[in-house]
Amino acid sequence: LGSKKMDAASTGMDAPMSLLSALLVPSFSVFFAAVILVSVRSFSQLFVPRYARAHRWLGAAHLCWLAFGFVDIQLKLMPRVAYDFLLGLFGIALTLSAAKGFPSHR
């Protein structure tokens, strides 16, 4: 059996893009780990107060969805269009909850 040489053209990725991906994976991992750590440490300040509670929880869900998208890029768990559509819905819901939760800023 002959071995196939995997080059950039056969994998569908060019060299600069794979280098960029190799740099971004650890960077995003550190970022999301820091966000999760701060969120867990500050849970009572971030999620317990009554005002704008829906906005707070939707913000947490939005961040979790962004983190899932990062994982999805690596593991290809769902179609990209479905992820993008749901990300857009989260963004709209988050914006509307901010408008409702902070009425004094109209």
Side-chain angles (χ1 to χ4, degrees), residues 28-40:
F28 281 132
S29 299
V30 169
F31 170 75
F32 282 117
V35 168
I36 289 168
L37 180 65
V38 168
S39 298
V40 169

Side-chain angles (χ1 to χ4, degrees), residues 16-64:
M17 187 55 103
S18 61
L19 175 61
L20 180 64
S21 178
L23 293 173
L24 289 178
V25 169
S27 301
F28 281 132
S29 299
V30 169
F31 170 75
F32 282 117
V35 168
I36 289 168
L37 180 65
V38 168
S39 298
V40 169
R41 284 186 165 176
S42 305
F43 183 85
S44 62
Q45 294 172 325
L46 291 174
F47 300 107
V48 174
R50 287 190 175 271
Y51 66 93
R53 189 175 285 169
H55 180 68
R56 295 164 189 268
W57 285 103
L58 279 169
H62 189 72
L63 280 173
C64 289

